Amino acid sequence: MTGSPDLAPLRAAFGTRLVTEGPQLDARARDASIVTRPAAALLFAQSTADVATALRLADEMRLPIVPRGSGTSVTGSAVPPEGGGLVLDLSRMQRILEVDPDDLVAVVEPGVLTADLRRAAAAQRLFYPPDPASLETSSIGGNLATNAGGASGLKYGTTRDYVSALEVVVPGGAVLRTGARTVKNATGYALAQLFVGSEGTLGVITAATLRLLPLPTAERTVLAGFDAVEAAAAFVGRVLAAGLLPASLELMDRRAVEAASRIVPGALMGDAAPSAQDGDEAIVLCRLDGTELGATEAQEAVADMARTSGARLVHLPHDRAEEDRMWAARRAVTPALEQASPARLGEDVVVPRSRIVAMVGRIREIARQRRLTIVIFGHVGDGNLHPSILFDPVDRDQVSRMRAAASDLFTAALELGGLPSGEHGIGELKKDFLPLAVDPVALELMRSLKTLLDPHGILNPGKLFPDGRSPIQPQRR
Ligand SMILES: Cc1cc2nc3c(=O)[nH]c(=O)nc-3n(C[C@H](O)[C@H](O)[C@H](O)COP(=O)(O)OP(=O)(O)OC[C@H]3O[C@@H](n4cnc5c(N)ncnc54)[C@H](O)[C@@H]3O)c2cc1C
């Protein structure tokens, strides 16, 4: 698209609800990534009918649309397309339509915040497990479109595992209802799953029926501190090999702990703060849930295993308040690192669990070679790490080393049998790595599905599919 688009048909349909200037539009030029681009217009959808009208008109006008929830994407997937286009903001569709304890489902609009759904479920002793660290700000629509994970992925899986049915509007404006409220469904293609993780490129999710579980009655936490990141990662392997299934197994290196401790002081190491000077230590936070008895027994087993695995400290929280502070500190790592550095690229590599120690080694090697600080933390029990590259955006040499280091990270994950994203998605930032991560026939099928559902390419163009223009490029070897 070149020049400013003619928005008259949208203006006729939505009147003054179509925003074409001002701070609300300006704020939607960015998400939580390093990518920014201005939009031509913004519409706050209030109903499925609004979304259908917008998609019908945009298709006729050949106007690019980016669906948007809360804009916490870290891959540029929620940033407007080149040439501007329309930001279709779903954040005002935020009704929790049902929480049904008989069918164990919730029915929600896409703008509902993840934490609000979890609280509404918990009020009825029910549990919606997906828990991205952004849960207080990210939306269910965004979680579905990115297949968001979180700390509970180890035991409970990711957003995809909780989808029973979706209502989706596809380009042209048709409304598709797919899936069912039933526990089982062997009735035709699992079309709802197609839209999960599609990053707003295939359709706009306007309602979701999500599975719930009974709320675990008890949670216990173990904090284990190790002298080296590799030792901490190896401990995780031992826990899993012993047949224990914690809800969460999280790794934080010393820099991650120090950053989080500035936001939630004393929560992680308490009086057992690290003593070594060289910054090599790491902690593992392990959460066990279930019944009182089961969770307590599992907590003791994990604590014993930490002691016999060479942990320098093993700490069990004294009460629920201390436990909550520990997990709040874990969730604070990303914002804390953002405060601590002029800029940060938070990455999201995933490897088979057996390769975690190798991946940690590769990250440390990349940091040395590229002369950059890379903070290591993440959902180590899932093999999913968030190496965070700290850099100064005005230092061109650092920016170029940051890009090279990110490329090295994805390459290392792929070489270890992993992927360049476990939960954040591909977006704009790493689209040129997609051909290295998926089979060529599968990639061709993905392109065919995109063309079938979106023949004019209006939905979130420039995202997910490779075009040789992603900010992080594969290295020539
Ligand atoms: C501090 C912080 C911590 C984070 N922690 C985690 C974490 O632990 N785990 C994790 O997985 N992610 C995490 N993220 C990343 C981010 O929060 C997730 O990707 C989240 O799912 C995005 O939700 P959102 O509502 O902000 O979506 P947006 O950023 O608005 O959009 C993300 C993508 O979804 C599409 N989209 C949004 N709504 C719809 C819809 N209704 N229909 C179709 N497409 C739609 C957009 O087009 C875009 O492609 C974190 C981010 C931050 C800033």
Side-chain angles (χ1 to χ4, degrees), residues 247-445:
S248 311
L249 264 172
E250 297 286 303
L251 176 78
M252 296 167 70
D253 75 2
R254 179 190 173 103
R255 283 194 176 84
V257 171
E258 285 173 350
S261 299
R262 282 193 284 275
I263 292 191
V264 191
L268 288 174
M269 295 286 200
D271 49 4
S275 57
Q277 303 302 313
D278 62 359
D280 205 25
E281 311 94 322
I283 65 163
V284 173
L285 264 188
C286 176
R287 172 162 44 202
L288 298 310
D289 69 357
T291 59
E292 285 288 337
L293 185 62
T296 305
E297 279 179 0
Q299 182 192 36
E300 283 162 9
V302 170
D304 283 346
M305 211 173 290
R307 290 184 195 104
T308 56
S309 301
R312 200 158 52 69
L313 74 95
V314 178
H315 179 70
L316 311 186
H318 301 296
D319 53 27
R320 186 62 198 238
E322 186 187 358
E323 189 169 19
D324 287 347
R325 278 172 60 75
M326 285 174 157
W327 288 100
R330 163 62 190 89
R331 282 193 294 277
V333 174
T334 297
L337 289 174
E338 257 145 34
Q339 284 174 18
S341 171
R344 180 191 80 100
L345 183 77
E347 268 318 325
D348 173 39
V349 289
V350 62
V351 292
R353 278 184 194 132
S354 57
R355 312 314 300 275
I356 292 166
V357 177
M359 188 66 212
V360 166
R362 293 289 291 271
I363 298 170
R364 289 159 68 83
E365 189 185 309
I366 293 164
R368 268 191 302 274
Q369 280 173 355
R370 300 291 179 188
R371 293 177 287 116
L372 288 163
T373 298
I374 305 185
V375 182
I376 303 177
F377 67 98
H379 319 299
V380 66
D382 308 346
N384 184 195
L385 295 172
H386 294 314
S388 280
I389 309 174
L390 308 186
F391 66 99
D392 183 347
V394 297
D395 180 334
R396 290 171 65 178
D397 177 52
Q398 266 192 46
V399 171
S400 115
R401 281 186 281 125
M402 173 277 290
R403 288 175 193 246
S407 180
D408 294 344
L409 288 172
F410 306 148
T411 305
L414 288 162
E415 285 173 0
L416 292 171
L419 296 167
S421 175
E423 56 178 24
H424 292 166
I426 295 295
E428 187 157 335
L429 215 57
K430 37 193 165 181
K431 57 190 172 181
D432 288 321
F433 283 84
L434 196 67
L436 305 177
V438 304
D439 170 83
V441 181
L443 182 58
E444 208 36 54
L445 182 59

Side-chain angles (χ1 to χ4, degrees), residues 67 69-73 77 132-134 139 142-143 145-146 148-149 199 203 205 423-424:
S70 303
T72 66
S73 168
S77 62
S134 53
S139 73
N143 291 177
T146 57
E199 303 190 28
I205 298 161
E423 56 178 24
H424 292 166

Side-chain angles (χ1 to χ4, degrees), residues 43 63 65 82 85 91 95 107-108 129 135 145 152 180 193 197 234 299 374 418 476:
L43 177 71
L63 177 72
I65 285 200
E82 280 187 27
S91 63
R95 285 180 304 160
V107 183
V108 299
L135 82 180
S152 300
Q193 295 293 336
Q299 182 192 36
I374 305 185
R476 287 173 199 273

Side-chain angles (χ1 to χ4, degrees), residues 164-254:
S164 289
L166 292 182
E167 179 185 87
V168 185
V169 182
V170 293
V175 181
L176 166 81
R177 295 185 183 88
T178 178
R181 204 181 167 100
T182 52
V183 175
K184 293 178 172 175
N185 181 344
T187 312
Y189 293 161
L191 291 183
Q193 295 293 336
L194 182 60
F195 294 94
V196 181
S198 67
E199 303 190 28
T201 61
L202 296 180
V204 179
I205 298 161
T206 46
T209 304
L210 301 168
R211 286 178 54 219
L212 302 175
L213 299 176
L215 190 66
T217 50
E219 276 185 11
R220 296 286 182 273
T221 294
V222 177
L223 183 158
F226 293 86
D227 282 330
V229 184
E230 287 85 347
F235 160 66
V236 166
R238 270 178 234 126
V239 171
L240 295 171
L244 290 161
L245 187 56
S248 311
L249 264 172
E250 297 286 303
L251 176 78
M252 296 167 70
D253 75 2
R254 179 190 173 103

